[in-house]
Amino acid sequence: MNLIYTSDQQELIDAADSFFAGEHTVEYMRNLLESDASDDTQTLWNNFAELGLLGLVAPEENSGLAQDFSVMAGIAEMAGNVALTEPLIEIAGISVPVLAQMGATDELNAVISGDLKVLPVCGLSGMVSHADTADMFLIGEGGKARLLDKSDVTLTPLKSIDPLRKLYKVSHAGDGLEAIDQRGAILNASFLCGLSKRMVTLSVDYAKDREQFGKQIGSFQAIKHQLANVHTQIEFTRPIVQLAATQNGRCVHQAKVSSIDTAMLAAETAIQVHGGMGYTFEVSLHMFMKRAWALCGEWGDRNHHINILETMILADDAELGPGTTFSY
Amino acid sequence: MDAVFSDSQNQFRQEVRDWLSANVPGERLPSLDTQKGFDLHRAWEKKLHAGNWGMVTWPEEFGGRGCSLTDWLIFEEEYYRADAPLRVSQNGIFLLGPTIMEYGTDEQKERFLKPMAAGDEIWAQAWSEPGAGSDMAAIRSKAVRDGDEYVISGQKIWSSRAVFADWCFGLFRTDPESSRHHGLSKILVPLDSPGLTVRPIAQLDGDPGFAELFFDEVRVPVSNLLGPENGGWGVAMATAGFERGLLLRSPARFQAAAARLVKLYKQNANRLSSGIKEQVLQAWGDTERFTAATYALVAQVDSGASISSEASANKIFWSEMDRTMHRTAMTIMGMHAELEEGDGAIENGRWLDGYMFSLAGPIYAGTNEIQRNILAERVLGLPRQ
Ligand SMILES: Cc1cc2nc3c(=O)[nH]c(=O)nc-3n(C[C@H](O)[C@H](O)[C@H](O)COP(=O)(O)OP(=O)(O)OC[C@H]3O[C@@H](n4cnc5c(N)ncnc54)[C@H](O)[C@@H]3O)c2cc1C
């Protein structure tokens, strides 16, 4: 029992963090917004491959790093912290381990080297961001994982409130598979934690900068307490997400629900702290906030996960109480 | 990162479980805020100690088992699973004990830790004063040095269990020229000292759960000073950290309550409005979040990290979770919620007691407003007022 990362694991997460923070800056995102060009993303993908991010959880014989899935969750949080636009986490965290399980060695090797993009599809929504850049799709159907070529499906563009999500409906989404959906939910929850954390950081920076009544607004207790509330919620969401990444079971659904509630609270608090400025396209907050709104409904929305929890917790034979958190 | 207990941890759990199932009293003890209940709780502490289960994390030389904090969480899980009595010696074993281990002299360790672990000496805390609640640095009670003694005068208030306890510890102003958090010292005082009057205060439930302490030239030897003279603030903050943080409120007690809440919900489900179900799930979910976070925190501490201001988030979370969960129970019980015992009373008024006590959680150990100030200023880095 050791619910913290080893120092080697932490190093990998920190390395990803500094890479994201250095490359995927607010300026980079603004450029994407203005130029609408996704051609310069190839360098990013080459770097993902070079850093070993694509093969992070892949077996060593496929030149992966064979890391635990919990490390991927840690990296997903760092990706959330910068609101990463490219679907790295979906490919490296969902497609790669499932391809390995399927024994799809050729595809796996190509994905790890950055030459092939296999995007996982959530059977519940069939909505996939950046689907136009995929070479193949991974779906769950009839209890099995299945690969579809991009020519096997049609993509219908959808319009998301998040301007950096290039969203499509995939015509053939399957009916889901635990190996895909659980990973999707956990990584999504981690990503949301990162977004929440970043919204707090942006708000703290703003509250130290902006002055009213001759004082920094961050010195007002009404501002402090709201941000302290969000901080507290984040601190009590991240560990259950990490636990979900370490053991499956009902904590996955709790992790998703908590990360949704925390992200929505973070977004509402952040815009309030920013005042009128928060209601603009100008400050960077909106990019993080909109991503949070969008991701809350992905990989099973709140209703979906609460309903599952309900059947699990209210079942007659449910094991509840002290000592039942780790009993899987 | 892993979430699997080792064989030796599982064995330890089994050992705790076996001992508790053979020894936990069959009936819930009366409130420890009554003389009878206090005595019975003290007797239970002695029994725990005799089984060497008093404080498993303490070193063996002081009556413990030298267990890790993770083992302690396991112990607590079994303890609340067995619905064992509340710990009447909690101020000593969870708060003062660790502080003595950190700051005490060898003589103090020898003198105080063993009787504390054995339940022979039960401790009360004496920080708050009528004019110094949230603003603890406004303490005015003074201890004047006279040879090898301190002469203490002043007034303390809200001292839990002081009516029945044996000793108290608190902060007193030892430097008369000082102000705020300078010039304070942490001093240990027997509650039966001449000149010390203990006046009971009835708590919300009517029992004398706290007391006011009037010090009229109370004399204690200088050897009762814990830590440096005039450096008591730092020593007190260490105790406060234990209290807000993990020692006082491990997840198990809340998990046990959440499991009871689910049961209560199921027994009443057919007459409840639909929104209650989600509140029940929320209560369960919050206790799971608290459990995961505590195991993560304990792993950090076991690996050598120290916790300070982060403990404030902990205190906010458990106290508000507890209050929300008990409010949900009150809502479920509806017209039966007010009944304390007898006909129609559910679980003999246990939820009602719990609800009242949960309202104190956001107040004691530093109010949640103060914790939010600490988080905002010391963790998030927002400017001081
Ligand atoms: C059940 C229980 C047991 C207790 N046991 C003990 C004990 O054993 N020993 C002991 O010494 N004390 C004990 N206390 C006392 C407790 O520590 C104090 O009640 C607490 O610190 C608050 O102080 P106060 O009561 O003077 O309230 P006040 O400080 O007067 O606070 C009243 C309200 O004002 C708010 N407030 C005050 N200052 C600020 C600020 N700067 N910013 C924002 N809001 C502020 C508070 O948050 C609170 O909501 C106990 C209290 C309770 C309820």
Side-chain angles (χ1 to χ4, degrees):
Chain A
M1 175 62 63
N2 198 25
L3 273 196
I4 48 171
Y5 290 114
T6 64
S7 51
D8 290 351
Q9 292 175 330
Q10 193 61 53
E11 253 173 52
L12 286 165
I13 296 169
D14 291 346
D17 182 26
S18 41
F19 172 72
F20 294 151
E23 298 295 317
H24 201 276
T25 58
V26 167
E27 293 70 41
Y28 169 87
M29 290 161 76
R30 285 194 185 292
N31 277 341
L32 280 186
L33 271 184
E34 278 152 28
S35 66
D36 204 39
S38 45
D39 350 319
D40 56 344
T41 56
Q42 194 48 47
T43 7
L44 214 47
W45 284 90
N46 293 342
N47 282 322
F48 293 158
E50 242 163 68
L51 282 167
L53 289 172
L54 285 166
L56 190 87
V57 298
E60 273 167 1
E61 62 261 32
N62 304 101
S63 53
L65 298 181
Q67 288 294 318
D68 289 349
F69 185 67
S70 61
V71 180
M72 196 70 230
I75 290 176
E77 184 183 336
M78 299 310 155
N81 198 41
V82 299
L84 189 71
T85 44
E86 296 297 311
L88 164 71
I89 301 301
E90 291 81 348
I91 293 181
I94 306 170
S95 299
V96 163
V98 176
L99 285 171
Q101 275 168 359
M102 292 166 74
T105 313
D106 292 345
E107 288 84 357
L108 181 60
N109 290 339
V111 169
I112 293 173
S113 57
D115 298 326
L116 185 79
K117 283 191 188 129
V118 178
L119 275 177
V121 183
C122 175
L124 291 165
S125 71
M127 285 155 56
V128 179
S129 185
H130 288 69
D132 57 328
T133 65
D135 303 299
M136 300 180 100
F137 293 96
L138 173 70
I139 65 167
E141 196 164 51
K144 280 208 198 82
R146 216 187 126 186
L147 283 171
L148 300 176
D149 198 78
K150 68 175 172 203
S151 58
D152 297 339
V153 300
T154 49
L155 301 177
T156 316
L158 302 170
K159 176 106 181 68
S160 169
I161 181 68
D162 177 356
L164 293 174
R165 255 162 86 79
K166 303 223 168 56
L167 201 58
Y168 295 86
K169 179 104 182 163
V170 180
S171 59
H172 192 144
D175 53 7
L177 185 74
E178 199 176 281
I180 297 175
D181 299 341
Q182 294 253 5
R183 288 187 174 95
I186 295 163
L187 295 172
N188 169 287
S190 273
F191 201 102
L192 284 171
C193 284
L195 284 166
S196 300
K197 179 98 194 147
R198 182 63 178 276
M199 289 189 276
V200 170
T201 314
L202 288 171
S203 305
V204 166
D205 290 347
Y206 187 78
K208 288 203 277 201
D209 191 45
R210 168 77 175 160
E211 292 188 5
Q212 280 296 275
F213 301 96
K215 285 184 202 150
Q216 293 161 289
I217 58 164
S219 66
F220 299 129
Q221 218 172 51
I223 297 283
K224 284 183 181 169
H225 286 197
Q226 291 190 60
L227 290 172
N229 286 345
V230 185
H231 172 80
T232 301
Q233 288 304 318
I234 295 171
E235 293 306 302
F236 286 87
T237 298
R238 187 189 294 113
I240 191 95
V241 177
Q242 289 175 346
L243 176 62
T246 310
Q247 69 171 25
N248 275 329
R250 58 196 186 189
C251 59
V252 173
H253 308 288
Q254 186 57 48
K256 183 66 165 83
V257 171
S258 299
S259 65
I260 292 170
D261 293 346
T262 300
M264 293 306 284
L265 176 72
E268 286 166 12
T269 306
I271 189 170
Q272 186 67 20
V273 168
H274 278 76
M277 210 38 121
Y279 202 71
T280 66
F281 219 78
E282 202 171 303
V283 288
S284 18
L285 174 64
H286 81 101
M287 297 190 278
F288 297 89
M289 185 160 67
K290 289 170 182 166
R291 183 67 55 81
W293 296 343
L295 293 191
C296 281
E298 255 202 359
W299 295 104
D301 62 15
R302 196 177 186 286
N303 306 292
H304 173 80
H305 290 284
I306 280 277
N307 288 340
I308 295 176
L309 274 181
E310 184 185 320
T311 43
M312 287 178 154
I313 303 312
L314 301 182
D316 285 337
D317 57 353
E319 281 191 47
L320 306 174
T324 60
T325 305
F326 306 101
S327 52
Y328 298 94
Chain B
M1 182 166 306
D2 79 272
V4 182
F5 291 110
S6 67
D7 288 346
S8 67
Q9 284 168 330
N10 286 329
Q11 229 170 334
F12 174 74
R13 183 188 290 282
Q14 193 58 48
E15 212 186 319
V16 179
R17 186 174 293 188
D18 291 345
W19 190 87
L20 288 169
S21 71
N23 289 282
V24 169
E27 272 186 28
R28 283 177 63 73
L29 303 182
S31 161
L32 49 74
D33 293 330
T34 60
Q35 184 70 57
K36 184 172 171 228
F38 192 90
D39 294 343
L40 287 168
H41 279 83
R42 190 199 286 267
W44 166 249
E45 285 295 332
K46 288 179 187 289
K47 197 167 185 179
L48 272 175
H49 180 67
N52 201 16
W53 296 111
M55 196 54 201
V56 294
T57 54
W58 283 21
E60 283 169 33
E61 47 177 323
F62 302 127
R65 291 177 181 243
C67 286
S68 70
L69 284 173
T70 302
D71 291 340
W72 178 72
L73 293 178
I74 295 172
F75 173 81
E76 288 269 299
E77 285 170 359
E78 292 307 313
Y79 195 86
Y80 283 96
R81 190 176 171 274
D83 207 5
L86 293 177
R87 304 296 301 269
V88 69
S89 56
Q90 55 174 279
N91 290 336
I93 57 177
F94 296 149
L95 309 178
L96 181 62
T99 318
I100 289 183
M101 285 179 218
E102 194 173 334
Y103 291 95
T105 61
D106 287 343
E107 291 73 33
Q108 287 173 328
K109 290 179 192 164
E110 194 54 36
R111 165 64 190 83
F112 292 112
L113 292 176
K114 278 185 188 157
M116 183 186 291
D120 289 331
E121 287 176 355
I122 295 195
W123 289 81
Q125 304 193 73
W127 313 109
S128 306
E129 297 183 1
S134 297
D135 185 12
M136 201 167 83
I139 281 176
R140 285 168 52 194
S141 296
K142 57 179 198 239
V144 179
R145 185 85 180 245
D146 178 23
D148 352 333
E149 289 184 323
Y150 286 116
V151 184
I152 302 178
S153 302
Q155 186 184 347
K156 296 283 178 182
I157 195 168
W158 315 131
S159 185
S160 297
R161 289 176 286 288
V163 179
F164 309 112
D166 308 296
W167 281 74
C168 70
F169 58 94
L171 278 185
F172 300 89
R173 200 162 287 285
T174 35
D175 176 359
E177 306 295 304
S178 66
S179 67
R180 305 298 298 158
H181 49 275
H182 305 286
L184 298 167
S185 300
K186 183 159 178 177
I187 300 177
L188 317 176
V189 187
L191 280 165
D192 60 359
S193 302
L196 176 47
T197 308
V198 179
R199 191 178 73 81
I201 304 176
Q203 287 187 333
L204 211 51
D205 60 5
D207 291 334
F210 353 81
E212 215 167 349
L213 308 177
F214 299 92
F215 296 81
D216 182 12
E217 304 205 335
V218 173
R219 289 182 170 265
V220 296
V222 176
S223 56
N224 286 14
L225 169 73
L226 180 60
E229 186 173 76
N230 298 330
W233 186 263
V235 187
M237 287 305 112
T239 307
F242 295 127
E243 186 171 16
R244 285 167 202 163
L246 41 127
L247 276 177
L248 194 65
R249 294 288 180 261
S250 82
R253 73 190 279 148
F254 305 111
Q255 290 187 290
R260 282 172 51 231
L261 184 68
V262 171
K263 209 165 140 197
L264 181 73
Y265 168 81
K266 285 191 194 166
Q267 285 161 350
N268 293 276
N270 54 5
R271 59 170 193 83
L272 299 175
S273 69
S274 57
I276 300 284
K277 191 186 288 175
E278 201 163 325
Q279 292 178 29
V280 172
L281 293 176
Q282 166 106 32
W284 174 83
D286 281 349
T287 62
E288 291 295 289
R289 297 167 71 190
F290 188 59
T291 306
T294 304
Y295 271 88
L297 192 65
V298 155
Q300 277 169 32
V301 176
D302 276 343
S303 76
S306 64
I307 47 164
S308 52
S309 313
E310 297 88 338
S312 293
N314 215 46
K315 201 256 159 171
I316 294 171
F317 193 84
W318 65 250
S319 58
E320 296 181 4
M321 157 178 81
D322 196 37
R323 183 174 61 186
T324 307
M325 169 156 50
H326 281 86
R327 191 209 301 139
T328 301
M330 295 289 282
T331 312
I332 292 175
M333 295 191 300
M335 64 183 168
H336 295 280
E338 67 171 315
L339 301 175
E340 289 194 81
E341 55 185 37
D343 256 8
I346 294 171
E347 288 185 65
N348 255 320
R350 190 172 180 183
W351 285 110
L352 186 59
D353 282 347
Y355 180 58
M356 285 194 283
F357 190 58
S358 78
L359 297 175
I363 299 172
Y364 64 75
T367 70
N368 286 11
E369 287 72 32
I370 298 301
Q371 308 304 335
R372 288 183 164 90
N373 290 347
I374 293 174
L375 281 182
E377 291 170 11
R378 297 192 212 148
V379 178
L380 296 178
L382 287 166
R384 299 181 70 94
Q385 250 173 333

